[in-house]
Amino acid sequence: MAGDDPTLYQWAGGQAAFDRMINAFYDRVETDDLLSLFFPGGVHEDHRRHVATWWGEVFGGPAAYTEQLGGYEQMLHKHTGLAITNEQRFRFASLMSLAADDAEMPADPEFRSALVAYLEWGTRLALGNSQPGATVMEHAPVPRWGWGEAPPYKP
């Protein structure tokens, strides 16, 4: 991959794009029969902002989640003991993909491939880490996702 390729964060449109996607996602979650159970009373603004900050950092934006919100350890703590089911994991990934459409994130196959790859990877880690008695990696950096096999298409 060429060194002048934009990050996924830049390609998506920066933090504003991730804010839109996360808000669209949680708007869907609040009415979803499987996922709303995790958020009795709705998804609060601070939670939405923190998750959008996580996604921004993962996709190549500023390290604000690490520097201001507790990094990987805090995200791990948020999922510990939730006992997420595979059906909930899949619904999360599906609703997030729809939220990317709602937020008008880039629709090119290269970006969406990276987005879906992270969704699959991240939700499967959350599924495992959320199980009672799970053995988890307690300390790690926030992942930094990249283009993977298909860099951005530049005609």
Side-chain angles (χ1 to χ4, degrees):
M1 185 164 72
D4 60 350
D5 286 337
T7 64
L8 293 165
Y9 178 85
Q10 292 166 325
W11 190 264
Q15 194 60 50
F18 288 94
D19 292 345
R20 286 192 314 272
M21 182 179 75
I22 295 305
N23 280 318
F25 170 72
Y26 282 120
D27 288 348
R28 288 177 177 274
V29 164
E30 288 182 331
T31 61
D32 185 81
D33 60 330
L34 286 176
L35 299 181
S36 63
L37 306 171
F38 293 117
F39 302 97
V43 184
H44 300 289
E45 195 61 38
D46 283 348
H47 182 82
R48 291 170 182 247
R49 186 173 47 258
H50 293 172
V51 173
T53 301
W54 169 271
W55 276 76
E57 183 171 338
V58 167
F59 278 73
Y65 197 93
T66 294
E67 294 168 0
Q68 301 165 16
L69 298 172
Y72 165 85
E73 291 80 4
Q74 180 66 11
M75 186 60 73
L76 176 65
H77 171 73
K78 294 294 185 183
H79 294 90
T80 301
L82 289 178
I84 297 167
T85 67
N86 194 52
E87 188 178 17
Q88 289 167 325
R89 181 211 66 80
F90 182 77
R91 182 74 56 86
F92 181 103
S94 299
L95 292 184
M96 190 65 81
S97 185
L98 291 169
D101 292 339
D102 295 342
E104 299 180 348
M105 297 289 268
D108 58 278
E110 297 82 9
F111 178 80
R112 290 304 176 102
S113 174
L115 179 77
V116 170
Y118 176 68
L119 277 168
E120 282 294 316
W121 182 82
T123 59
R124 289 174 189 280
L125 281 178
L127 172 73
N129 289 340
S130 75
Q131 301 310 305
T135 302
V136 300
M137 181 182 297
E138 294 183 18
H139 304 288
V142 171
R144 299 294 275 193
W145 216 250
W147 287 99
E149 295 300 319
Y153 175 70
K154 297 178 185 175

